[in-house]
Amino acid sequence: MSEILLQVQGLGVTYASARGKVKALEGLDARLHRGEFLAVLGPSGCGKSTLLKLVAGLLRPSAGRVTLAGEPINGPRPDVGIVFQQPTLLPWQSTLNNVLLPIRTLRRDLAQGRRRALELLQLVGLETFANHYPGELSGGMQQRVGIARGLVHDPALLLMDEPFAALDAMTREHMMLELQRIWMATCKSIVFITHSIPEAVFLADRIVVLSARPGRTIRELSIDLPRPRTVATMGEPRFNSICNELRSLFTELVHFN
Ligand SMILES: Nc1ncnc2c1ncn2[C@@H]1O[C@H](COP(=O)(O)OP(=O)(O)OP(=O)(O)O)[C@@H](O)[C@H]1O
Ligand SMILES: [Mg+2]
């Protein structure tokens, strides 16, 4: 296996709020190899988005450490792209300008960025909406703008928090195939958070399953289905038996909750 890009060790996060302390993660260990596609599966509220925000450098751990290429993560980094669970678009900016946000923040070449942004808008099926504003788009369309924004600066590490959850079944399937294609063509490393077992099995090289809150790794599974995976892969017995194995694990998790 290739070098470890991202390492999470003994990670703990406790939120302090007016309602008291909430332990979101405790003693979580995980790693991502360079070029790997890792899916993180876990029940709602177990701390998946918290984990993503930590790796993105948007939140500090209460315990443990997170390193990227051996360096502790101290804040947001230019070589990391993030697709948030909510689209989080700027309502006063057009679709194109929202996608261009990382290009402007990182002071990259704007003409080249614009070309890439338009390519990505085409990829997510929104090329005719470049000049529309977020308020004129559906929830699923806004989420696709968020996906284009996460990819526009060509980050080596892409963090995706349930990016396809708001999409209709047809678009979701199309986006899964496209994401696999982009990943295979560009050698990116991806952390993909999802609730969907088939989505995780279809996309991932490895799946990390988190416990109910406070989240920690309770299972790791390598997915050795050959690539490229296609729509037909989802009908194969091996695909279904992995999904069933994960489903029974989840049933146990929910019983423990
Ligand atoms: N800013 C915050 N202040 C206090 N508690 C928080 C905060 N953010 C998250 N939490 C709590 O931490 C826990 C983990 O939240 P998180 O959003 O990471 O879960 P999640 O696994 O992403 O859930 P979902 O699958 O529903 O998106 C939850 O119990 C949540 O209520
Ligand atoms: Mg979440």
Side-chain angles (χ1 to χ4, degrees):
M1 216 349 146
S2 59
E3 141 203 23
I4 291 178
L5 178 66
L6 183 70
Q7 180 121 40
V8 175
Q9 289 167 304
L11 188 67
V13 175
T14 302
Y15 289 109
S17 75
R19 294 174 201 282
K21 291 190 170 174
V22 179
K23 210 182 259 185
L25 300 172
E26 190 176 38
L28 191 148
D29 296 311
R31 69 195 185 287
L32 173 76
H33 298 268
R34 201 178 280 280
E36 190 178 29
F37 198 124
L38 179 75
V40 179
L41 261 176
S44 180
C46 77
K48 299 182 298 298
S49 295
T50 302
L51 173 65
L52 198 100
K53 286 176 196 157
L54 272 148
V55 174
L58 302 172
L59 201 66
R60 293 289 162 91
S62 320
R65 53 191 235 128
V66 185
T67 55
L68 188 61
E71 300 285 318
I73 295 174
N74 296 318
R77 295 172 49 124
D79 49 352
V80 175
I82 312 166
V83 180
F84 292 101
Q85 191 166 2
Q86 306 297 334
T88 60
L89 304 179
L90 300 175
W92 60 89
Q93 291 284 1
S94 67
T95 295
L96 180 62
N97 279 333
N98 268 289
V99 176
L100 282 171
L101 214 65
I103 299 292
R104 291 191 205 277
T105 313
L106 298 169
R107 299 178 192 280
R108 298 263 176 90
D109 183 80
L110 199 55
Q112 206 180 337
R114 193 174 276 123
R115 276 197 298 279
R116 181 69 185 137
L118 289 169
E119 270 171 29
L120 286 165
L121 282 174
Q122 190 163 18
L123 170 74
V124 299
L126 292 175
E127 64 276 23
T128 56
F129 291 87
N131 297 317
H132 286 59
Y133 288 85
E136 300 173 288
L137 306 179
S138 73
M141 290 160 97
Q142 291 187 32
Q143 192 59 15
R144 282 183 276 155
V145 178
I147 293 167
R149 183 185 55 191
L151 286 165
V152 74
H153 56 301
D154 199 24
L157 171 61
L158 187 59
L159 308 174
M160 308 183 88
D161 194 354
E162 307 202 34
F164 305 155
L167 306 184
D168 62 275
M170 294 280 288
T171 312
R172 178 190 275 232
E173 205 168 278
H174 172 69
M175 291 301 302
M176 277 164 59
L177 290 165
E178 281 302 333
L179 182 61
Q180 177 184 232
R181 191 185 60 74
I182 292 170
W183 172 74
M184 288 180 76
T186 58
C187 310
K188 287 187 192 314
S189 311
I190 299 185
V191 178
F192 185 95
I193 285 172
T194 179
H195 271 125
S196 159
I197 291 172
E199 203 171 85
V201 176
F202 183 83
L203 286 168
D205 291 325
R206 200 155 51 83
I207 299 178
V208 161
V209 182
L210 301 187
S211 66
R213 186 172 67 83
R216 62 187 169 76
T217 307
I218 53 160
R219 183 77 197 270
E220 267 189 52
L221 202 64
S222 287
I223 310 296
D224 52 7
L225 297 165
R227 305 240 187 213
R229 298 171 190 165
T230 65
V231 174
T233 306
M234 289 184 251
E236 284 171 15
R238 176 97 184 97
F239 179 88
N240 286 311
S241 74
I242 301 169
C243 289
N244 286 338
E245 191 181 333
L246 285 162
R247 254 178 226 119
S248 45
L249 184 64
F250 261 81
T251 314
E252 281 170 35
L253 272 182
V254 173
H255 279 301
F256 274 117
N257 230 342

